[in-house]
Amino acid sequence: MRFLGATLLHTLASATLGGFVALTFCKDRKIQRLYTFFGLLAATTIHAIFNYIILRGETSYTFAVFAVLWFSIIGLILFFEKVKKTLADRRSTGFI
């Protein structure tokens, strides 16, 4: 399972970090660094939990792990669509 879920895991972890960075696009430098730190912490936590489950070696969690990964990725896609719409709205009003 480790090699099958690695692509999904790394997509999720890097998109999580990217999501935190996207939230701070128009914010102060201090806020950007804080969100980037928490994004890195969240990505690391996701990675650590996945590794822990994999290293336990129980195959009974395989479907659940893949389901959580896929639903999380779908949630991130929806989140990025919302961020994209918000930025487009700000551009149209002259905020950015």
Side-chain angles (χ1 to χ4, degrees):
M1 180 168 110
R2 187 174 182 94
F3 68 93
L4 292 174
T7 303
L8 293 175
L9 170 69
H10 288 103
T11 300
L12 178 63
S14 61
T16 300
L17 178 57
F20 274 87
V21 172
L23 287 173
T24 66
F25 187 71
C26 298
K27 305 263 190 219
D28 181 65
R29 184 73 137 173
K30 185 178 179 181
I31 299 295
Q32 287 177 345
R33 289 183 184 196
L34 184 66
Y35 272 57
T36 301
F37 171 75
F38 282 116
L40 187 59
L41 185 65
T44 303
T45 302
I46 290 167
H47 207 291
I49 291 169
F50 180 83
N51 284 344
Y52 175 75
I53 291 170
I54 296 301
L55 290 175
R56 284 185 57 189
E58 292 186 28
T59 58
S60 60
Y61 295 119
T62 303
F63 180 75
V65 168
F66 277 106
V68 168
L69 283 174
W70 275 111
F71 283 119
S72 298
I73 288 172
I74 291 169
L76 277 170
I77 290 170
L78 295 173
F79 168 76
F80 278 117
E81 288 299 319
K82 183 175 180 168
V83 169
K84 189 167 58 172
K85 183 182 180 315
T86 302
L87 289 176
D89 290 345
R90 287 183 180 176
R91 281 192 189 112
S92 67
T93 60
F95 182 70
I96 295 178

